[in-house]
Amino acid sequence: MTEDATASSGSSARHRLGWIAKTVDWLGRIGADPEDDEDLRQKKALLVLLAVLILPVSVVWGSLYLGLGSPVGVVPFVYFAVSLGSLVVFARNRNFDLLLNTQLLDIMLTTTAGQMLVGGFLPSGGVGLWGILAPLGALVILDVRRAIRWFAAFVVIFVVTGLEARCCFRTQTSRRGSPARCWC
C-alpha cells in the first residue's frame, strides 16, 4: 500500500468522524447556560447525549413489537414522544431538573408498564429491567441519597407492575382449573 493511499484513507476516516464529533458537540451544547459550572455543563451534556442515543432504540423496540402484532409497541413510542418533547422544552427553558426528572421517570415507567402490559417479567423477556437505568442515571447525576430514592421507587414500581401483570394481564387459573381471583 502506498503512502498516498494510506493518507487518503486516514483523511476519509477523519472526515467521517468529523461530522459525528460536530453533532456530539452540538447536542452537548443544548440547554447550556454560560453561567453553568463545568460539572453542571458536563451533566447536562451527558443526559442530553444519552437521551438522544436511546431515541432510536425506542423506535426499534416499538417497531418490533408492533411488527409482531403486539399493541404494546405503542409504549416505546410514548417513551420517544415524552423524551423528545422534554429535550425540546429543555433546549428552550434550560431547566435541568425538569429534564432529568422527566427522563428518569420516562425510562422507568415506560419499561415497567411495557412489561406489565405484555404479561409480566418472563413473557416480556425482562424488559422492565431496563427501568434500572433511571436509578443508575440518578446515581451518576445526583447525590447518593437522592439516587437511593430512585432505586427504591424503581423496586416499588417494578414489583407493583409485576403483580398487576400477574393478576390482570395474563389468563390465570387456580389449582382446581377455575379462574384465579384477583384484586384488580
Side-chain angles (χ1 to χ4, degrees):
M1 191 176 226
T2 66
E3 276 187 41
D4 291 338
T6 305
S8 171
S9 66
S11 173
S12 169
R14 269 185 261 124
H15 182 316
R16 283 192 304 260
L17 289 176
W19 74 268
I20 294 172
K22 288 177 185 175
T23 303
V24 168
D25 183 54
W26 176 75
L27 288 170
R29 286 182 279 138
I30 291 176
D33 190 334
E35 295 179 15
D36 292 342
D37 64 7
E38 186 61 26
D39 186 50
L40 182 57
R41 193 178 351 263
Q42 287 178 349
K43 287 178 180 181
K44 285 181 174 182
L46 177 64
L47 184 58
V48 168
L49 291 172
L50 287 174
V52 169
L53 286 172
I54 294 174
L55 289 175
V57 173
S58 67
V59 171
V60 170
W61 175 33
S63 298
L64 286 172
Y65 267 107
L66 291 173
L68 294 171
S70 176
V72 176
V74 171
V75 173
F77 289 103
V78 169
Y79 169 84
F80 181 91
V82 170
S83 185
L84 186 61
S86 71
L87 288 167
V88 169
V89 168
F90 178 63
R92 291 187 175 272
N93 72 7
R94 298 179 180 165
N95 185 339
F96 183 61
D97 288 332
L98 178 63
L99 176 69
L100 177 61
N101 288 320
T102 302
Q103 289 294 322
L104 295 178
L105 280 170
D106 195 19
I107 192 78
M108 184 167 48
L109 295 177
T110 55
T111 56
T112 53
Q115 174 178 289
M116 176 184 69
L117 295 171
V118 169
F121 183 77
L122 291 178
S124 74
V127 77
L129 289 176
W130 283 99
I132 197 75
L133 290 175
L136 289 176
L139 189 59
V140 169
I141 295 174
L142 301 171
D143 60 89
V144 174
R145 194 176 77 224
R146 288 173 46 191
I148 289 171
R149 291 184 200 142
W150 280 99
F151 273 102
F154 169 71
V155 169
V156 168
I157 290 170
F158 188 81
V159 169
V160 167
T161 57
L163 292 173
E164 190 71 15
R166 188 171 169 92
C167 289
C168 299
F169 294 98
R170 287 184 21 196
T171 305
Q172 292 192 350
T173 55
S174 68
R175 291 182 196 165
R176 296 183 197 148
S178 61
R181 291 194 179 179
C182 187
W183 47 270
C184 55

